[in-house]
Amino acid sequence: MERSLTMELVRVTEAAALASARWMGRGKKEEADDAATTAMRNVFDTIPMKGTVVIGEGEMDEAPMLYIGERLGNGYGPRVDVAVDPLEGTNIVALGTWNALAVLAIADHGKMLHAPDMYMDKIAVGPEAVGKIDINASVTDNLKAVAKAKGKGVEDVVATVLHRERHEKIIQEIRDAGARIKLIPDGDVAAAINTAFDHTGVDILFGIGGAPEGVLAAVGLKCLGGEIQGKLVPQNKEEEERCYKMGITDLNKVLMMDDLCGGDDAIFAATGVTDGELLRGVQFKGNKGTTQTVVMRAKSGTVRFIDGNHSLKKKPNLVMKED
């Protein structure tokens, strides 16, 4: 994987963020997602790589672009698998709340789990707690393990959980253990990545979210030296069959980091669409837009925060069109 590819991918997430941010707070999540997807796809055509989408907007008959199996890049450069979420947090943008991101990840060909669009139970932590967590252990035991690893009391640990009815038991156990909780409406890729940055104030992620988002988070945490564990949670026979076709015959199998993203190299990039603990969202000032992006590479361990200033005069695809 070429070093220059890292910076090229920043242009992809920046374009998606700029396009979708125009829809912030307007209650139209589909339009925001379409804008991000179109912008991301257009820039991918210029990237020097031979990419194949393994996690995207759906199957070929479900999505007009960035569908699973679609070829990306200009046909030159390394052969890579690509995972994308052009707008991670469509509801967040529609409501104008926190932590919406434009996200992508790439890994060497054949090294990324082709996660089906179903639920995944997850637990994620940053570098200090690697090797200390166990998705099969109790919430309380994991909280104690993270507290010990980070040299603080359980009462000072902050857990992030998607605010869903299915998580009532987890939420209650966290409270009973004396830890603190940050309940989030959406966006568990951001929540998982936040565990690896001290200034976000987040120590651990618990709960069930999307499996594709779990793989994206795994690539980010691989670059950061963190850890995520996951277990697929099929809801019906059809989803169980998809697991079997992937070669996962034991539905209780714990997917470790190397199961989610193998190999020694991967790149993760995310641009803030709305403000969050980690990244500022897009701001528009006259004919200019500003972005903030984090881009990381596993092989080098490099993490870059990039502030972008963009002229929008010659970018009509970034201008919102009314119906």
Side-chain angles (χ1 to χ4, degrees), residues 51 63 151 160 187 200 206 248 256-257 311:
T160 298
T200 66
F206 288 108
I248 300 175
M256 307 298 283
M257 290 290 287
S311 172

Side-chain angles (χ1 to χ4, degrees), residues 1-296:
M1 200 178 295
E2 297 174 7
R3 182 185 305 173
S4 61
L5 192 56
T6 302
M7 298 306 294
E8 291 282 352
L9 293 173
V10 172
R11 298 193 295 112
V12 180
T13 56
E14 286 177 338
L18 285 162
S20 57
R22 292 286 193 184
W23 294 96
M24 189 186 76
R26 303 188 74 240
K28 296 183 177 182
K29 65 179 185 178
E30 288 84 7
E31 288 84 349
D33 190 51
D34 287 346
T37 301
T38 300
M40 181 173 276
R41 180 64 184 81
N42 288 342
V43 180
F44 261 128
D45 284 339
T46 70
I47 304 300
M49 68 180 191
K50 292 175 280 193
T52 302
V53 178
V54 299
I55 291 175
E57 292 294 277
E59 305 292 342
M60 187 183 299
D61 58 351
E62 298 172 349
M65 61 183 73
L66 296 180
Y67 54 82
I68 296 169
E70 184 175 10
R71 301 304 175 97
L72 300 177
N74 63 11
Y76 298 94
R79 187 181 182 196
V80 295
D81 286 350
V82 183
V84 298
D85 196 343
L87 182 54
E88 207 257 332
T90 55
N91 286 323
I92 293 173
V93 172
L95 297 173
T97 55
W98 279 53
N99 279 321
L101 301 174
V103 183
L104 69 82
I106 69 169
D108 291 327
H109 179 66
K111 298 298 185 180
M112 198 182 295
L113 180 71
H114 297 202
D117 190 9
M118 66 174 65
Y119 281 136
M120 177 186 283
D121 192 12
K122 310 169 195 175
I123 183 171
V125 292
E128 292 167 299
V130 168
K132 308 299 183 182
I133 57 171
D134 181 355
I135 197 170
N136 287 325
S138 69
V139 168
T140 301
D141 285 347
N142 279 304
L143 289 169
K144 289 179 179 178
V146 170
K148 183 178 180 180
K150 302 190 83 167
K152 57 185 177 181
V154 172
E155 66 275 10
D156 295 324
V157 172
V158 175
T160 298
V161 182
L162 281 169
H163 198 184
R164 300 288 189 272
E165 185 176 344
R166 63 180 178 266
H167 292 148
E168 286 182 359
K169 184 178 178 181
I170 291 175
I171 292 168
Q172 190 58 54
E173 190 169 351
I174 294 170
R175 289 171 174 164
D176 289 345
R180 297 178 293 158
I181 308 176
K182 180 171 287 188
L183 294 173
I184 57 173
D186 291 288
D188 66 346
V189 173
I193 299 301
N194 283 350
T195 63
F197 292 94
D198 284 342
H199 70 270
T200 66
V202 176
D203 298 298
I204 187 168
L205 166 78
F206 288 108
I208 296 172
E213 288 82 359
V215 176
L216 280 162
V219 177
L221 287 169
K222 184 183 186 77
C223 296
L224 292 163
E227 181 179 6
I228 185 170
Q229 298 174 13
K231 294 169 70 174
L232 293 173
V233 186
Q235 302 293 295
N236 51 50
K237 289 292 184 182
E238 181 183 353
E239 291 187 353
E240 288 181 6
E241 286 299 322
R242 293 192 70 177
C243 292
Y244 298 145
K245 288 179 180 178
M246 293 170 59
I248 300 175
T249 55
D250 179 6
L251 298 181
N252 290 313
K253 175 182 172 63
V254 176
L255 300 169
M256 307 298 283
M257 290 290 287
D258 282 345
D259 297 313
L260 298 167
C261 181
D264 65 351
D265 205 4
I267 298 172
F268 176 95
T271 300
V273 180
T274 62
D275 289 339
E277 294 92 344
L278 184 63
L279 296 169
R280 292 193 310 273
V282 173
Q283 295 184 12
F284 295 106
K285 302 174 182 179
N287 290 319
K288 294 184 179 180
T290 64
T291 57
Q292 188 172 50
T293 301
V294 61
V295 60
M296 310 175 270

